[in-house]
Amino acid sequence: MSYLVRELKPHFERNIQPLLTLLSKAHVDPNVITLLGLVFVIVGSFFLYMHTYFWSFVFLALGGFADAIDGALARKNGSKNEFGAFLDSLTDRFSDAFPLIAISLSSEKLFSFISLLALVFSFGVSYARARAEGLGHELKVGLFERPERWITLLLGILIGAIELALMVILLGSFITLIQRVYAFKNRTSR
C-alpha cells in the first residue's frame, strides 16, 4: 500500500467530515457522486484534449475529489455495498483512461505513444490487484498507486509539465506492476 493511501487518507477523510455530513443529511447517493466524478473527468479530458489546461485541471480535480469522497460517503451512510464497490472500480478505469487518451490524441507521436504506454501499465497495476483478489489474495502493495498517478497528472497539468508527468506515471506504474507481480509470486510460491 502506498504512503499516500496508508498515511494521508485517514487525515483527508477526517477533514472532509463536514462535507460528508452535509451530503449524508441531504441523502445524496454515493453512486451519484461516483457518476458525477466520471462526468467531471470526461469534461476535464475534453479540455485537456483542447489544450485548455486551466479548465482541464479544474474538472479533473473535481473528478478526483468526487472519487475520493464517494466511498467515504458510503461508509458514513452505512450504504456501502457490492454494487457501489463494483461501480466505483469500473468508473475508476474509465477515469484513468480518458485523460491519457486525450493526451495521446492531442500529442505528437512520441508522447502519444508514451501516454498509451502509461495507460496500459496503469491498467496493469489495477488488474493485477483485481485478479489477485479474484483468486483470494490481497495485493495492496506498490509504490505508485492510483492516487499517486492522479496527483502526478494534475501537477503536470498545473505546472505545464504534462510530458514529464506522463514519464513519471509510466515509470511509476511499471515499477508498481513489477512489485505486484513479484509479491503475488512470492505469496503463491510458499
Side-chain angles (χ1 to χ4, degrees), residues 110-127:
L110 176 63
F111 284 105
S112 176
F113 183 68
I114 289 170
S115 182
L116 293 175
L117 280 178
L119 173 63
V120 168
F121 285 115
S122 294
F123 274 27
V125 169
S126 299
Y127 181 76

Side-chain angles (χ1 to χ4, degrees), residues 3 32 38 41-42 49 59 65 69-70 82 85 129 172 181:
Y3 174 80
V32 170
L38 179 60
V41 169
I42 292 169
Y49 171 76
F59 280 97
F65 183 72
I69 68 169
D70 57 358
E82 288 181 345
R129 179 175 170 185
V181 169

Side-chain angles (χ1 to χ4, degrees), residues 52-116:
T52 310
Y53 297 121
F54 173 78
W55 289 112
S56 174
F57 176 83
V58 168
F59 280 97
L60 290 174
L62 286 171
F65 183 72
D67 182 56
I69 68 169
D70 57 358
L73 179 60
R75 287 187 293 279
K76 182 167 187 69
N77 286 348
S79 60
K80 186 176 172 186
N81 59 52
E82 288 181 345
F83 177 73
F86 170 81
L87 183 65
D88 183 58
S89 291
L90 182 63
T91 58
D92 284 353
R93 301 300 72 78
F94 290 120
S95 293
D96 288 347
F98 285 121
L100 295 175
I101 290 170
I103 292 168
S104 179
L105 291 175
S106 64
S107 297
E108 51 91 8
K109 286 184 180 181
L110 176 63
F111 284 105
S112 176
F113 183 68
I114 289 170
S115 182
L116 293 175

Side-chain angles (χ1 to χ4, degrees), residues 8 12 16 47 49 80 92 114 142 146 158 162 168 181 186:
L8 300 181
F12 171 77
I16 63 166
F47 283 122
Y49 171 76
K80 186 176 172 186
D92 284 353
I114 289 170
R146 191 163 188 267
L158 187 65
I162 294 173
V168 171
V181 169
N186 283 344

